[in-house]
Amino acid sequence: MAPIPQTQQRSLVERLIQACGGGYSPETRRKYYVSGPQWAAAYEGHALFHAPTREPVGFEKVIEEYGKIGIGHWTTHDTDVIPTAGLFKDEQERIVGRIKAALKSNGLKCSMVTTETFHHAVWAASPAAEAPEVRAYAARRLANTVKIGHQLGAEFAVYWPGSLGYFVQGAVEETETLRWYAEGLNAACEADIEIAKQFGRPTLKHCMEAKPFEPQAEILLPTSDAMLAFISSGLLTHPEMVGLNPEYLHELMWGAAPRAALARALLCGKLWHFDINDGYRLKHDVDIAVGLVNPLDWLNVLVLLRSHKYAGPFNLDYKPPRTTSNWGVFALSFPTAVDRFITLWEMAGDVIADPVISEASAALRAGGGPADPLDVDAIVAANRELLTLHELIAHRMVQILIGQHRGRVYSV
Ligand code: 3MF
Ligand code: MG
Ligand code: MG
């Protein structure tokens, strides 16, 4: 093939996107509770070993592009949109006004706000640092984000305590730090009760998000399970206001079965918000877009969530790869991520309705018939053939994933 001049590259990519097919209309996409983070679309491709590959993008452009794609909700950190120095000042109010206008004119809603407590130098020793002034500032920041959330009409506040941990042991006394961290969350919930009254709105749903590694070397609340224990530890003054925002990859990173982690949150009634993406076990936080690495696992996850009537947001917390251009972020990365999610969600409906899976599941639950409860050999024998259905169900799910259940075969 001859070299493709830069002026022809977009039309080539566009033609190949069209050739892929499988896209949904913006109207269809808006039917799902999918949210697009400001930071995901504005990610410039930078990291410790990576210089940026994309130009900065402001919230007006992100909101406009999400609107065109059909992503109905937008999420943000306070400092994604308001410079740290402008917080608590008129500048904050001016920016919030501009955000409201941008959301309105593009038909989006703000579903979630979150406080950046990991990037700025003030968080070097975490938001629950030894110095009381850091903790007092953190409490003010959290309350301020709650206020912004109410101004923008959000339903959720998320807390990823990224820097709650350490590189070297010794200085940090974990029980004390966790108590201080709880005080921060308590301050946010208590502020919310007051602010919600002023706005005549329900309080926000406060959701904790765990990640096992990064940016600290050791993390005090590394998993969703650790956070469930923290929520019911007695340290929170309003545990009923606090739930979870698990992230698919964050659970996978530590080696968990994400579906089992979600199931534990469901059992506790705490699965309120969900960051969706993909990646690999026991690697760093690669934040690949949903379904590009583990589509079968994702199908299983969505079967679980559909079966339990999960109705919260699916937040597209991924990073478009550094190889994707600014234009490509909105032309390809976000629309295809949403479309894979929708397809997997609908496929999960196919799995739930599938007659083979239904009958096999019912048969497994029926068991092999009454056996002497103390005759172990008889119990084994009663189920011997039925247990083969475990593998049959897994096979059937792969068939559904690859379209083989509709007769897709190769003629060889
Ligand atoms: C980090 C994350 C965060 C959180 C966000 C809270 C930058 O790995 O996942 O995204 O999701 O801070 O919403
Ligand atoms: Mg996340
Ligand atoms: Mg992540």
Side-chain angles (χ1 to χ4, degrees), residues 3 54 101 139 235 241 251 379 395:
R54 287 188 288 266
L235 293 176
M241 291 174 70
E251 299 304 323
I379 296 169
H395 167 68

PDB file of all heavy atoms in Angstrom, residues 3 54 101 139 235 241 251 379 395:
ATOM      1  N   PRO A   3       2.016   5.071   0.959  1.00  0.00           N
ATOM      2  CA  PRO A   3       1.852   5.835   2.201  1.00  0.00           C
ATOM      3  C   PRO A   3       0.559   6.649   2.163  1.00  0.00           C
ATOM      4  O   PRO A   3       0.135   7.112   1.104  1.00  0.00           O
ATOM      5  CB  PRO A   3       3.071   6.774   2.221  1.00  0.00           C
ATOM      6  CG  PRO A   3       4.060   6.136   1.304  1.00  0.00           C
ATOM      7  CD  PRO A   3       3.288   5.367   0.281  1.00  0.00           C
ATOM      8  N   ARG A  54      -1.426  13.589  23.187  1.00  0.00           N
ATOM      9  CA  ARG A  54      -2.609  14.343  22.737  1.00  0.00           C
ATOM     10  C   ARG A  54      -2.610  15.737  23.354  1.00  0.00           C
ATOM     11  O   ARG A  54      -1.986  15.971  24.374  1.00  0.00           O
ATOM     12  CB  ARG A  54      -3.901  13.597  23.144  1.00  0.00           C
ATOM     13  CG  ARG A  54      -4.166  12.360  22.328  1.00  0.00           C
ATOM     14  CD  ARG A  54      -5.547  11.774  22.621  1.00  0.00           C
ATOM     15  NE  ARG A  54      -5.638  11.144  23.917  1.00  0.00           N
ATOM     16  CZ  ARG A  54      -5.446   9.841  24.143  1.00  0.00           C
ATOM     17  NH1 ARG A  54      -5.181   9.028  23.156  1.00  0.00           N
ATOM     18  NH2 ARG A  54      -5.552   9.361  25.366  1.00  0.00           N
ATOM     19  N   ALA A 101     -24.254  25.193  31.906  1.00  0.00           N
ATOM     20  CA  ALA A 101     -24.717  25.623  30.580  1.00  0.00           C
ATOM     21  C   ALA A 101     -24.323  24.592  29.524  1.00  0.00           C
ATOM     22  O   ALA A 101     -25.126  24.242  28.650  1.00  0.00           O
ATOM     23  CB  ALA A 101     -24.133  26.998  30.255  1.00  0.00           C
ATOM     24  N   ALA A 139     -11.158  17.732  54.437  1.00  0.00           N
ATOM     25  CA  ALA A 139     -12.591  17.750  54.786  1.00  0.00           C
ATOM     26  C   ALA A 139     -13.303  18.889  54.038  1.00  0.00           C
ATOM     27  O   ALA A 139     -14.411  18.704  53.518  1.00  0.00           O
ATOM     28  CB  ALA A 139     -12.762  17.907  56.294  1.00  0.00           C
ATOM     29  N   LEU A 235     -16.613   2.977  62.378  1.00  0.00           N
ATOM     30  CA  LEU A 235     -15.923   4.278  62.332  1.00  0.00           C
ATOM     31  C   LEU A 235     -16.760   5.340  61.611  1.00  0.00           C
ATOM     32  O   LEU A 235     -16.521   6.535  61.784  1.00  0.00           O
ATOM     33  CB  LEU A 235     -14.581   4.147  61.610  1.00  0.00           C
ATOM     34  CG  LEU A 235     -13.500   3.309  62.298  1.00  0.00           C
ATOM     35  CD1 LEU A 235     -12.268   3.194  61.416  1.00  0.00           C
ATOM     36  CD2 LEU A 235     -13.122   3.941  63.639  1.00  0.00           C
ATOM     37  N   MET A 241     -25.045   5.885  54.251  1.00  0.00           N
ATOM     38  CA  MET A 241     -24.840   6.799  53.110  1.00  0.00           C
ATOM     39  C   MET A 241     -23.647   6.377  52.255  1.00  0.00           C
ATOM     40  O   MET A 241     -23.375   6.990  51.227  1.00  0.00           O
ATOM     41  CB  MET A 241     -24.585   8.237  53.615  1.00  0.00           C
ATOM     42  CG  MET A 241     -25.795   8.893  54.258  1.00  0.00           C
ATOM     43  SD  MET A 241     -25.379  10.501  54.980  1.00  0.00           S
ATOM     44  CE  MET A 241     -25.091  11.511  53.524  1.00  0.00           C
ATOM     45  N   GLU A 251     -10.238  -4.737  40.631  1.00  0.00           N
ATOM     46  CA  GLU A 251     -10.386  -6.050  41.273  1.00  0.00           C
ATOM     47  C   GLU A 251      -9.541  -7.089  40.543  1.00  0.00           C
ATOM     48  O   GLU A 251      -8.863  -7.902  41.165  1.00  0.00           O
ATOM     49  CB  GLU A 251     -11.861  -6.467  41.310  1.00  0.00           C
ATOM     50  CG  GLU A 251     -12.761  -5.516  42.090  1.00  0.00           C
ATOM     51  CD  GLU A 251     -12.318  -5.281  43.543  1.00  0.00           C
ATOM     52  OE1 GLU A 251     -11.835  -6.221  44.191  1.00  0.00           O
ATOM     53  OE2 GLU A 251     -12.459  -4.130  44.014  1.00  0.00           O
ATOM     54  N   ILE A 379     -24.389 -39.914  47.071  1.00  0.00           N
ATOM     55  CA  ILE A 379     -24.568 -38.493  46.694  1.00  0.00           C
ATOM     56  C   ILE A 379     -23.732 -38.175  45.464  1.00  0.00           C
ATOM     57  O   ILE A 379     -24.197 -37.530  44.520  1.00  0.00           O
ATOM     58  CB  ILE A 379     -24.200 -37.571  47.884  1.00  0.00           C
ATOM     59  CG1 ILE A 379     -25.164 -37.796  49.050  1.00  0.00           C
ATOM     60  CG2 ILE A 379     -24.230 -36.100  47.455  1.00  0.00           C
ATOM     61  CD1 ILE A 379     -24.742 -37.150  50.360  1.00  0.00           C
ATOM     62  N   HIS A 395     -19.586 -23.486  27.803  1.00  0.00           N
ATOM     63  CA  HIS A 395     -19.519 -23.603  26.344  1.00  0.00           C
ATOM     64  C   HIS A 395     -20.615 -22.779  25.680  1.00  0.00           C
ATOM     65  O   HIS A 395     -20.377 -22.057  24.710  1.00  0.00           O
ATOM     66  CB  HIS A 395     -19.666 -25.083  25.963  1.00  0.00           C
ATOM     67  CG  HIS A 395     -19.916 -25.319  24.513  1.00  0.00           C
ATOM     68  ND1 HIS A 395     -18.973 -25.074  23.540  1.00  0.00           N
ATOM     69  CD2 HIS A 395     -21.033 -25.762  23.843  1.00  0.00           C
ATOM     70  CE1 HIS A 395     -19.485 -25.352  22.342  1.00  0.00           C
ATOM     71  NE2 HIS A 395     -20.725 -25.763  22.506  1.00  0.00           N
TER      72      HIS A 395
END
